[in-house]
């Protein structure tokens, strides 16, 4: 047979033998959590056929046509199979569990009923937001917010606040993808709250800063002439109150002395 024809026949045989969807579903799972993978089509076993879950080229689980099951050594205690729907539960996943998982029925042909690309990720580190005030006046202010993570990633964005609202200025950073594949974002929420968000596909952490408090928390100083006017006004009021009070008290004291004089009895002097 001509070599080209032979290659064509072999390719047709492979296409026939490996049926099922070619779609590979991406799955992200947090390190230390459990991973559940489902089949995407009914599993039907006939004589001399078997069902397998595989990780890359390694077999995890085998189910034979007589319902005999085998879990391969390294996965004992880590894997649970639900025979009613042929789902796979992998417990306490680690970084080494990242990779391609397949479920298929093997017989005269290979019929795939599940293909997954699994990525195990660590939870993101905490994020913190710090504020630097650039300028401040009685009616507006400008400031920068720096969002930083424990693994030394950061972004800086500038904001402007006026009496009733704040806005994020153009030109600053709003988001970045870090070298570890996480996303760091800073954005304005509800007018006065700045959100620093650090996330990946399995976890998220955020820090909220009320930037308006930094702009208008310190009231503008009162002018000196206002202080003098207030002092003089208070003094005059106190004097006005004090004079009538002193006069009333003086009259009360005078009446009291007169009464005592009237009640005094003088002893008659007898001449011997």
């Amino acid at each position: 047979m001509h070599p080209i024809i032979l290659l064509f026949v072999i390719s047709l045989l492979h296409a026939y033998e490996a049926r099922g969807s070619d779609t590979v579903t991406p799955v992200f799972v947090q390190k230390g959590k459990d991973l559940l993978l489902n089949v995407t089509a009914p599993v039907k076993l006939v004589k001399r056929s078997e069902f397998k879950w595989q990780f890359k080229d390694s077999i995890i689980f085998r189910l034979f046509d007589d319902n005999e099951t085998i879990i391969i050594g390294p996965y004992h205690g880590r894997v649970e199979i639900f025979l009613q729907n042929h789902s796979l539960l992998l417990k306490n996943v680690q970084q080494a569990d990242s990779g391609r998982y397949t479920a298929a029925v093997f017989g005269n042909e290979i019929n795939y009923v599940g293909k997954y690309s699994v990525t195990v990720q660590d939870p993101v580190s905490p994020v913190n937001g710090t504020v630097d005030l650039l300028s401040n006046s009685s009616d507006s202010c400008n400031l920068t917010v720096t969002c930083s993570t424990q693994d030394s990633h950061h972004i800086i964005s500038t904001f402007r606040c006026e009496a009733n609202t704040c806005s994020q200025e153009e030109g600053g950073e709003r988001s970045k993808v870090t070298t570890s594949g996480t996303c760091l974002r800073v954005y304005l929420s509800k007018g006065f709250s700045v959100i620093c968000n650090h996330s990946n596909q399995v976890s998220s952490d955020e820090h909220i800063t009320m930037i308006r408090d930094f702009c208008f928390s310190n009231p503008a100083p009162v002018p000196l002439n206002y202080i003098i006017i207030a002092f003089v006004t208070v003094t005059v009021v106190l004097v006005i109150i004090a004079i009538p009070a002193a006069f009333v008290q003086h009259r009360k004291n005078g009446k009291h002395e007169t009464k005592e004089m009237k009640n005094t009895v003088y002893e008659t002097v007898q001449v011997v």
Side-chain angles (χ1 to χ4, degrees):
M1 184 180 292
H2 195 279
I4 296 178
I5 298 176
L6 181 61
L7 290 173
F8 179 70
V9 171
I10 292 173
S11 65
L12 287 177
L13 288 174
H14 279 294
Y16 174 76
E17 291 176 355
R19 293 182 177 179
S21 174
D22 290 329
T23 303
V24 178
T25 304
V27 176
F28 296 88
V29 60
Q30 184 174 316
K31 181 181 178 181
K33 301 291 186 179
D34 295 344
L35 170 66
L36 178 65
L37 299 177
N38 297 312
V39 297
T40 56
V43 174
K44 298 179 180 179
L45 295 181
V46 296
K47 191 173 182 179
R48 296 180 181 177
S49 66
E50 63 176 304
F51 169 73
K52 297 180 185 178
W53 270 106
Q54 290 182 271
F55 173 54
K56 299 178 181 177
D57 294 327
S58 301
I59 298 174
I60 300 174
F61 168 81
R62 300 177 73 179
L63 170 65
F64 299 96
D65 59 346
D66 60 356
N67 289 327
E68 180 186 357
T69 61
I70 298 176
I71 294 177
I72 306 304
Y75 292 97
H76 274 292
R78 290 197 63 207
V79 162
E80 186 174 347
I81 300 294
F82 302 99
L83 294 178
Q84 65 272 26
N85 58 10
H86 303 91
S87 297
L88 167 73
L89 179 68
L90 181 61
K91 302 175 182 179
N92 188 26
V93 296
Q94 302 299 311
Q95 297 289 357
D97 295 316
S98 295
R100 184 182 176 93
Y101 289 77
T102 56
V105 176
F106 292 80
N108 294 329
E109 59 186 36
I110 303 173
N111 185 24
Y112 286 100
V113 293
K115 295 180 180 180
Y116 296 92
S117 177
V118 173
T119 302
V120 180
Q121 292 183 326
D122 290 315
V124 297
S125 62
V127 65
N128 187 47
T130 57
V131 177
D132 291 311
L133 192 60
L134 301 179
S135 63
N136 193 8
S137 65
S138 59
D139 58 357
S140 67
C141 76
N142 292 281
L143 45 81
T144 61
V145 176
T146 302
C147 300
S148 55
T149 66
Q150 290 184 349
D151 43 3
S152 302
H153 298 295
H154 69 275
I155 54 175
I156 302 174
S157 193
T158 303
F159 297 84
R160 177 178 176 82
C161 291
E162 297 180 348
N164 297 317
T165 187
C166 295
S167 60
Q168 190 168 5
E169 299 290 278
E170 298 294 334
E173 296 177 291
R174 293 175 182 251
S175 66
K176 69 183 295 185
V177 177
T178 69
T179 54
S180 58
T182 63
C183 181
L184 187 58
R185 296 189 301 143
V186 56
Y187 59 93
L188 189 65
S189 174
K190 298 180 180 179
F192 301 107
S193 301
V194 171
I195 311 295
C196 293
N197 180 272
H198 187 209
S199 64
N200 57 14
Q201 286 83 355
V202 299
S203 64
S204 178
D205 186 75
E206 69 178 23
H207 182 275
I208 303 175
T209 303
M210 295 294 293
I211 57 174
R212 190 173 185 271
D213 295 342
F214 289 85
C215 291
F216 307 110
S217 59
N218 298 318
V222 180
L224 180 60
N225 57 335
Y226 287 2
I227 297 176
I228 295 174
I229 292 173
F231 176 76
V232 172
T233 301
V234 172
T235 303
V236 170
V237 171
L238 290 176
V239 170
I240 293 173
I241 295 173
I243 290 175
F247 178 74
V248 171
Q249 185 66 35
H250 177 72
R251 291 194 63 182
K252 285 183 178 180
N253 292 339
K255 289 180 179 180
H256 182 69
E257 290 176 358
T258 303
K259 186 176 180 180
E260 285 184 348
M261 290 179 64
K262 288 182 179 179
N263 293 333
T264 302
V265 178
Y266 294 94
E267 184 179 358
T268 305
V269 179
Q270 294 183 357
V271 178
V272 179

